[in-house]
Amino acid sequence: MPSKRHVLTLVTALALPLLAPAALAQGEPVKIGLILPMTGPFASTGRQIEAAVKLYMAQNGTTVAGRKVEVILKDDAGTPDQTRRLAQELVVNDKVAVLAGFGITPAALAVGPVATQAKVPAVIMAAATSGIVAGSPYFVRTSYTLPQTSVTMAEWANKNNMKKLVTMVSDYGPGIDAEKSFKERVLLNGGQVIGEIRIPMRNPDFAPFLQRVRDLQPDAVFVFIPSGPAASLMKQFSERGLDKANIKLIGDGGVTDDDTLGEMGDAALGTVTSFHYSAAHDSPLNKKFVEAFQAQAKFRPNFMAVGGYDGMRVIYKALESTKGKTDGDALIAAMKGQTFESPRGPITVDAQTRDIVQNVYIRRVERKGGQLWNTEIETFPNVKDPRAK
Ligand code: PHB
């Protein structure tokens, strides 16, 4: 018969290794690896999302389900090779529970295989090409998709007697999505696309392309240029006299980006775009969000900020559901199907596709209180990505 003391020793020896990791985990922070372009042509996206993540944490605390949350911010400069390397380092060295951010489509695409292999959820807060989410079962999206806004813009153009159209897009994933979805819907509605223009993604010089648009004399030109490089388009559009030639500029809301709308001046007045977020969105929640954001960051939030803010909400609520457990499959399951009111309006992370379902708004640039705003004039409710299978 073993003595009582022996039994106790045995139990302690067995129990310790089992208990130790769990006990330790209580004290360990949950790490979120946030990869953003903080430098380079897409740095405004990084600046917006970083500020939104900070605001979310300032408002909701840095402890979730009894665990401290720590965000590790890395700058990929919008270069997908760096994104991949940083994602790998964050997973292997820092043992992050979640990856997030990804300012442009190629960056998000580079993360897919890393997320899949490591079984780590990756929250797309910015990139907007339709196909990205299908690239890993660990992707969820809180930004938007180009087909969501482009199909909506095509519907509006048709209803507003714009029959002869030209598309002008940045020559990569989201631009090609925009061009295809817009054209498909225009043709379906009996309109015409008389020119399809693609512009280099990096360092675009809009002048020669705007001249081609002018020569084609459409009723309107539909544009997608990513946030950041889009900032100088409006000025060139009016400098080239396209507005005086009676050509309307319509497009993805990046063209009248809240981040730079204030600098666009009167040239932007009256421009109609289709988008999921306007800082002028008329809801008590958005008013509070914009006020708090501006007080903290000292600039106006744009759609990137809202993608980051809502992405943090999705991560926090998932951690609450798993009671602080960071198992990737459990976290992804808890992210699927989340429905809540965002500063942009009601949103859902589709439980099947893991992609975002949201209102898309038609907006017109107006001057109010001495500032330019994208005033929402029409709502297309609960739009799913039209290209989702
Ligand atoms: C993208 O690369 O997916 C992207 C970037 C900026 C935007 C929209 C989409 O404004």
Side-chain angles (χ1 to χ4, degrees), residues 33 55 65 103 120 167 236 252 262 269 277 281 285-286 301 310 324 339:
L55 177 65
V120 167
T167 58
Q236 292 199 31
D252 172 85
L269 280 173
Y277 180 67
H281 178 66
L285 183 71
N286 185 52
D310 292 342
T339 298

mmCIF file of all heavy atoms in Angstrom, residues 33 55 65 103 120 167 236 252 262 269 277 281 285-286 301 310 324 339:
data_model
loop_
_atom_site.group_PDB
_atom_site.id
_atom_site.type_symbol
_atom_site.label_atom_id
_atom_site.label_comp_id
_atom_site.label_asym_id
_atom_site.label_seq_id
_atom_site.Cartn_x
_atom_site.Cartn_y
_atom_site.Cartn_z
ATOM 1 N N GLY A 33 -1.774 40.364 -34.243
ATOM 2 C CA GLY A 33 -0.750 40.881 -35.157
ATOM 3 C C GLY A 33 -1.419 41.757 -36.213
ATOM 4 O O GLY A 33 -2.171 41.261 -37.060
ATOM 5 N N LEU A 55 -8.748 53.631 -30.788
ATOM 6 C CA LEU A 55 -10.016 54.149 -30.260
ATOM 7 C C LEU A 55 -10.863 53.010 -29.699
ATOM 8 O O LEU A 55 -11.411 53.112 -28.600
ATOM 9 C CB LEU A 55 -10.794 54.899 -31.354
ATOM 10 C CG LEU A 55 -12.173 55.411 -30.921
ATOM 11 C CD1 LEU A 55 -12.046 56.480 -29.838
ATOM 12 C CD2 LEU A 55 -12.955 55.961 -32.113
ATOM 13 N N ALA A 65 -12.523 38.756 -21.560
ATOM 14 C CA ALA A 65 -12.694 37.441 -20.931
ATOM 15 C C ALA A 65 -11.533 37.159 -19.961
ATOM 16 O O ALA A 65 -10.971 36.071 -19.947
ATOM 17 C CB ALA A 65 -12.806 36.350 -22.004
ATOM 18 N N GLY A 103 -3.780 46.236 -45.947
ATOM 19 C CA GLY A 103 -4.244 47.455 -46.591
ATOM 20 C C GLY A 103 -4.624 47.316 -48.044
ATOM 21 O O GLY A 103 -5.428 48.101 -48.544
ATOM 22 N N VAL A 120 -4.777 30.216 -37.897
ATOM 23 C CA VAL A 120 -4.917 31.496 -37.190
ATOM 24 C C VAL A 120 -5.901 32.382 -37.962
ATOM 25 O O VAL A 120 -5.687 32.639 -39.146
ATOM 26 C CB VAL A 120 -3.548 32.207 -37.060
ATOM 27 C CG1 VAL A 120 -3.709 33.655 -36.634
ATOM 28 C CG2 VAL A 120 -2.659 31.467 -36.068
ATOM 29 N N THR A 167 -15.428 52.937 -68.126
ATOM 30 C CA THR A 167 -14.850 52.556 -66.830
ATOM 31 C C THR A 167 -13.366 52.912 -66.820
ATOM 32 O O THR A 167 -12.685 52.809 -67.844
ATOM 33 C CB THR A 167 -15.014 51.045 -66.545
ATOM 34 O OG1 THR A 167 -14.382 50.299 -67.590
ATOM 35 C CG2 THR A 167 -16.476 50.650 -66.457
ATOM 36 N N GLN A 236 -7.338 66.631 -60.997
ATOM 37 C CA GLN A 236 -6.963 66.436 -62.403
ATOM 38 C C GLN A 236 -8.197 66.335 -63.300
ATOM 39 O O GLN A 236 -8.167 66.761 -64.451
ATOM 40 C CB GLN A 236 -6.091 65.186 -62.545
ATOM 41 C CG GLN A 236 -4.729 65.362 -61.905
ATOM 42 C CD GLN A 236 -3.721 64.342 -62.419
ATOM 43 O OE1 GLN A 236 -3.782 63.903 -63.561
ATOM 44 N NE2 GLN A 236 -2.794 63.959 -61.559
ATOM 45 N N ASP A 252 -16.637 54.282 -57.130
ATOM 46 C CA ASP A 252 -16.398 53.775 -55.787
ATOM 47 C C ASP A 252 -16.102 54.973 -54.874
ATOM 48 O O ASP A 252 -15.462 55.951 -55.295
ATOM 49 C CB ASP A 252 -15.183 52.851 -55.878
ATOM 50 C CG ASP A 252 -14.686 52.380 -54.537
ATOM 51 O OD1 ASP A 252 -15.228 51.380 -54.038
ATOM 52 O OD2 ASP A 252 -13.746 52.988 -53.989
ATOM 53 N N GLY A 262 -11.706 66.980 -47.722
ATOM 54 C CA GLY A 262 -11.552 68.379 -47.328
ATOM 55 C C GLY A 262 -10.599 69.149 -48.226
ATOM 56 O O GLY A 262 -10.738 70.361 -48.401
ATOM 57 N N LEU A 269 -17.670 68.963 -55.478
ATOM 58 C CA LEU A 269 -19.098 69.190 -55.211
ATOM 59 C C LEU A 269 -19.987 68.492 -56.236
ATOM 60 O O LEU A 269 -19.743 68.576 -57.438
ATOM 61 C CB LEU A 269 -19.411 70.690 -55.223
ATOM 62 C CG LEU A 269 -19.060 71.453 -53.941
ATOM 63 C CD1 LEU A 269 -19.251 72.959 -54.155
ATOM 64 C CD2 LEU A 269 -19.915 70.963 -52.772
ATOM 65 N N TYR A 277 -19.526 53.340 -46.364
ATOM 66 C CA TYR A 277 -19.371 54.237 -45.209
ATOM 67 C C TYR A 277 -19.168 55.679 -45.633
ATOM 68 O O TYR A 277 -18.370 55.973 -46.531
ATOM 69 C CB TYR A 277 -18.190 53.827 -44.318
ATOM 70 C CG TYR A 277 -18.047 54.775 -43.125
ATOM 71 C CD1 TYR A 277 -19.029 54.814 -42.136
ATOM 72 C CD2 TYR A 277 -16.987 55.673 -43.032
ATOM 73 C CE1 TYR A 277 -18.950 55.700 -41.073
ATOM 74 C CE2 TYR A 277 -16.901 56.570 -41.964
ATOM 75 C CZ TYR A 277 -17.889 56.575 -40.988
ATOM 76 O OH TYR A 277 -17.817 57.462 -39.936
ATOM 77 N N HIS A 281 -22.704 59.625 -42.226
ATOM 78 C CA HIS A 281 -23.821 58.681 -42.017
ATOM 79 C C HIS A 281 -24.650 59.137 -40.818
ATOM 80 O O HIS A 281 -24.111 59.375 -39.737
ATOM 81 C CB HIS A 281 -23.293 57.256 -41.798
ATOM 82 C CG HIS A 281 -24.390 56.264 -41.532
ATOM 83 N ND1 HIS A 281 -25.323 55.932 -42.489
ATOM 84 C CD2 HIS A 281 -24.734 55.578 -40.418
ATOM 85 C CE1 HIS A 281 -26.170 55.060 -41.972
ATOM 86 N NE2 HIS A 281 -25.841 54.833 -40.717
ATOM 87 N N LEU A 285 -25.035 56.471 -33.378
ATOM 88 C CA LEU A 285 -23.786 55.728 -33.153
ATOM 89 C C LEU A 285 -22.638 56.322 -33.978
ATOM 90 O O LEU A 285 -21.520 56.491 -33.494
ATOM 91 C CB LEU A 285 -23.980 54.247 -33.521
ATOM 92 C CG LEU A 285 -22.773 53.358 -33.256
ATOM 93 C CD1 LEU A 285 -22.564 53.166 -31.757
ATOM 94 C CD2 LEU A 285 -22.917 52.000 -33.939
ATOM 95 N N ASN A 286 -22.936 56.662 -35.233
ATOM 96 C CA ASN A 286 -21.866 57.220 -36.075
ATOM 97 C C ASN A 286 -21.447 58.605 -35.598
ATOM 98 O O ASN A 286 -20.261 58.938 -35.633
ATOM 99 C CB ASN A 286 -22.287 57.271 -37.541
ATOM 100 C CG ASN A 286 -21.131 57.744 -38.411
ATOM 101 O OD1 ASN A 286 -20.025 57.191 -38.334
ATOM 102 N ND2 ASN A 286 -21.345 58.782 -39.190
ATOM 103 N N PRO A 301 -12.438 60.223 -39.664
ATOM 104 C CA PRO A 301 -12.337 58.797 -40.019
ATOM 105 C C PRO A 301 -12.866 58.555 -41.432
ATOM 106 O O PRO A 301 -13.815 59.203 -41.861
ATOM 107 C CB PRO A 301 -13.236 58.110 -38.995
ATOM 108 C CG PRO A 301 -14.233 59.149 -38.588
ATOM 109 C CD PRO A 301 -13.516 60.476 -38.695
ATOM 110 N N ASP A 310 -14.565 47.944 -36.646
ATOM 111 C CA ASP A 310 -15.471 46.791 -36.624
ATOM 112 C C ASP A 310 -14.703 45.474 -36.549
ATOM 113 O O ASP A 310 -15.173 44.507 -35.949
ATOM 114 C CB ASP A 310 -16.377 46.804 -37.865
ATOM 115 C CG ASP A 310 -17.374 47.957 -37.830
ATOM 116 O OD1 ASP A 310 -17.597 48.524 -36.736
ATOM 117 O OD2 ASP A 310 -17.927 48.297 -38.893
ATOM 118 N N GLY A 324 -12.053 33.487 -23.779
ATOM 119 C CA GLY A 324 -10.616 33.783 -23.759
ATOM 120 C C GLY A 324 -9.747 32.710 -24.401
ATOM 121 O O GLY A 324 -8.532 32.872 -24.486
ATOM 122 N N THR A 339 -23.594 39.751 -35.969
ATOM 123 C CA THR A 339 -24.450 40.808 -36.521
ATOM 124 C C THR A 339 -24.479 41.941 -35.522
ATOM 125 O O THR A 339 -24.719 41.691 -34.339
ATOM 126 C CB THR A 339 -25.891 40.290 -36.699
ATOM 127 O OG1 THR A 339 -25.862 39.209 -37.622
ATOM 128 C CG2 THR A 339 -26.818 41.367 -37.256
#
